[in-house]
Amino acid sequence: MLSIVPKDMGWIEVICGPMFSGKSEELIRRLRRAEIAKLKVAIFKPHIDDRYATGHIVSHSAQRLPSVPVSSTAEILERAADAQVVGIDEAQFFDMDLVDICQQLADQGKRVIVAGLDQDYRGKPFEPIPQLLAVAEYITKTLAICVQCGNPAGRTQRLSKDSERVVVGAADIYEARCRFCHQVHDEE
Ligand code: ADP
Ligand code: ZN
């Protein structure tokens, strides 16, 4: 009789949503539990994200976990070689190569947990997160609270007039807003 034996398999989890929605908190929670399970965990964030102490992923509620700042996705592949669980925060700051890197890590049998913004400040899909969602096994969408009306908020409002896609900041230039309260000032 043919018997089917499940193999040790990796997979990709994506945690996405707007700023202040608890992506980093949820990533930290999952990675802490993996550490409690005595799994080898490697945690990365892009070098560009220097808002808080480098060397940590930090949530807006001040939870933190040591992480390695990297300047390229290739560096993640290299440095994650020994890990069983790989965490990546602020994934929207990496290029499209991240999708292939995450696939390779999962193909090697690793659990890959990626957190990042799914929309930019205009409410447009923010690469490479949409492409990661397409290939992930598990997806979690987190919502914040709209600071204008108290509804669940899926968008990030930029308070400055900058029109580049990437402007690194926190509560000084961004706030969470719902679909109704979110505004784009570009056309002014
Ligand atoms: P993200 O990684 O999605 O930016 P964080 O995990 O860093 O989110 O922070 C989530 C925390 O931010 C919440 O637990 C709460 O303490 C705080 N917070 C501040 N503003 C808001 C908001 N408008 N809606 C929800 N949480 C907020
Ligand atoms: Zn609102």
Side-chain angles (χ1 to χ4, degrees), residues 18-25 58-61 142 144-147 176:
M19 283 180 72
F20 309 102
S21 64
K23 300 183 300 298
S24 298
E25 275 176 359
V58 184
S59 76
H60 291 105
S61 49
T142 49
I145 301 298
C146 175
V147 295

Side-chain angles (χ1 to χ4, degrees), residues 58-115:
V58 184
S59 76
H60 291 105
S61 49
Q63 294 183 40
R64 54 167 57 204
L65 210 55
S67 70
V68 178
V70 288
S71 22
S72 74
T73 46
E75 220 180 316
I76 297 180
L77 195 61
E78 228 171 80
R79 288 169 170 255
D82 295 335
Q84 294 164 293
V85 178
V86 181
I88 304 168
D89 202 10
E90 303 292 353
Q92 74 282 348
F93 292 143
F94 288 108
D95 59 23
M96 285 288 281
D97 289 348
L98 184 67
V99 182
D100 189 48
I101 297 292
C102 289
Q103 296 267 57
Q104 286 189 49
L105 292 169
D107 288 345
Q108 291 168 10
K110 303 183 198 303
R111 174 184 176 195
V112 184
I113 317 172
V114 186

Side-chain angles (χ1 to χ4, degrees), residues 121 156-160 162-167 173-174:
Y121 76 99
T156 304
Q157 178 72 48
R158 183 179 286 173
L159 302 172
S160 73
D162 300 293
S163 59
E164 306 102 273
R165 193 173 214 191
V166 174
V167 177
I173 49 166
Y174 293 104

Side-chain angles (χ1 to χ4, degrees), residues 11 13 31 42 45 62 80 87 92 106 117 124 151 155 157 159 173 182:
W11 64 85
E13 300 168 32
L31 294 171
K45 73 169 186 179
Q92 74 282 348
L117 292 171
K124 301 283 183 226
N151 272 324
R155 302 218 182 137
Q157 178 72 48
L159 302 172
I173 49 166
H182 179 255

Side-chain angles (χ1 to χ4, degrees), residues 146 149 178 181:
C146 175
C149 75
C178 71
C181 300

